[in-house]
Amino acid sequence: MCGIVGYVGARSAQDVVIDGLRRMEYRGYDSAGIALVHDGRLASRKRAGKLGNLEKAISEEPLPASELGLGHTRWATHGAPNDVNAHPHLGATGRVALVHNGIIENFADLRARLEADDHVLISETDSEVAAHLLELQVESGVDLTVAMQRVCQQLEGAFTLVAIDAQDPDRVVAARRNSPLVVGIGEGENFLGSDVAAFIEHTREALELGQDQVVTITRDGVSVTAFDGSPAEGRRFHVDWDLSAAEKDGHDWFMRKEIFEQPRAVADSLLGRRTRSGQLQLDEMRLSDQELRDIDKIIIIAAGTSFYAGMVAKYAIEHWCRIPVEVELSSEFRYRDPILDYSTLVVAISQSGETADTLQAIRHARTQRSKVLAICNTNGSTIPRESDAVIYTHAGPEIGVASTKGFLTQLIACYLLALYLAQVKGTRYGDEITQVMEQLEAMPAHIETVLAGSEAIYDLAREHVGTRSFLFLGRHAGYPVALEGALKLKELAYLHAEGFAAGELKHGPIALVEDGLPVLCVVPPEGRDQLHDKMISGIQEVRARGARTICLAEEGDTSIEPYADVLIRLPRVPVLLQPLVAVVPLQLFACELASAMGHDVDQPRNLAKSVTVE
Ligand code: M6R
């Protein structure tokens, strides 16, 4: 997730772009860059780090005046967050500048073809190939709009591209597939942005682009085509949000926005993971197949929500790969003198990549000669830097302190790791792996279905203002979901909330149950290992003692109906993948209840987004 701005009009393009980037910085701040057209040439500056570094660079070496330009603030995916990988990227002769948000899945093939034709690509990004391809097109004599249409037809994946041509001082061209882009419509000027916050200060008239469209903005107009050049139309709308709502895409809290971004975050985290022949590929795996085959034990270390993702991973890895997995809180790990050697793979899960407990744990593991694989959302952070291999999630920056899309994308990375190990070790047939990948690829639509029911969950949450205590029950992969649901409620609503494995309740915690106590139950899908029926027994036990049961159960499960005071339906998915849909109502519930109680949902008391002390 990156922020993009484009402008053409009568104002200083530098001012419009820099102001727009300031409002896009929440989308990523690994680097920032700008390019302007002046006198038939491009002028560009880019710097790693926050926008302030770019502004400093411009103050030291000012840019020429210009009324046309583009800018980018980066959330790194391919390539470290440094100056070279910062956008804009230029074509081979420096005629075209381009910025990109998304992932170009076939960039390796395209790059190899360009390099075979003597192109020198200086960055590690997938984006630079698009700049070179675009420049080849304009050099062949077509205008930037046609060039963009032709290039987009060669690209696979998700992308928003915005480009300018030094020899065309009146046109900014952009394209979108599966990544956001809106046009701001002004008088004698037009704007482009990843969202309306980029230009809301100048205009509230906007145009939303459809899939696979190319848009050209000039001072006097906006024209839209499909990738094949046929005429197309965007959807006009008026923005009535204020600036702070605009940054949150109309939501009241970043957390709520991030919950609703989950279908996209999950889809992005799955992009580019399969080769044309259907084999799984993990770009930064960096451990050889032999090293992976030698692994006889996996220890997953993580904290908080990431720890619960690790618990789900244990079920998936053991089931698909038959490798024993331990899951350990990173703060406890090194103090128990764990048994580690070169055949142990330590998997460190961390959204931020900076959690001190997890960092110290991986340092310890490496001193014992174990290989460390990080699952991380933050490119270039310390944990992946100090690990032997990485699987990056592509959630984009998570700003709400309570992790939501971070968790779902960690689950995706865990499933990918499990399937990859199964592929390398041969514990699952190729068609079984393909089947699970297809089930994963269907998840964004299932998550959308759950989100479409958010109003009913909000009503339920508001009914519980004043309730002091909650229990959450789950079994199997639903047990970590119960723990995560309870954690969300604790950290946001400051209420007593505990998650239990449903079968464990009768060994003590059932004494907590009293009349009216809300118990949220994650019901496994019907039909495997009696899990479902055993869960119903647990639900009956708490109902018999007066609990009010709020059951999350799959569509079509009628046997749960007599035992549920409230029933929240989930899409039908396999039991191992159910956490991806089951946790979403719990996130919505906690967010709404905390909001209704008047709490600061994005910055709950006593917490920090990244805990960098042990
Ligand atoms: O950045 P990390 O994933 O390493 O963070 C781990 C925990 O601090 C984090 O998940 C925390 O529990 C969140 N506040 C949960 O919402």
Side-chain angles (χ1 to χ4, degrees), residues 338-356:
I339 301 166
L340 296 161
D341 62 25
Y342 66 90
S343 59
T344 308
L345 176 68
V346 171
V347 177
I349 308 179
S350 174
Q351 187 285 131
S352 61
E354 300 294 349
T355 299

Side-chain angles (χ1 to χ4, degrees), residues 303-306 349-353 355 401-403 410 487-488 491 611:
T305 291
S306 303
I349 308 179
S350 174
Q351 187 285 131
S352 61
T355 299
V401 164
S403 185
Q410 286 168 346
L487 176 61
K488 287 281 121 6
E491 63 182 339
V611 184

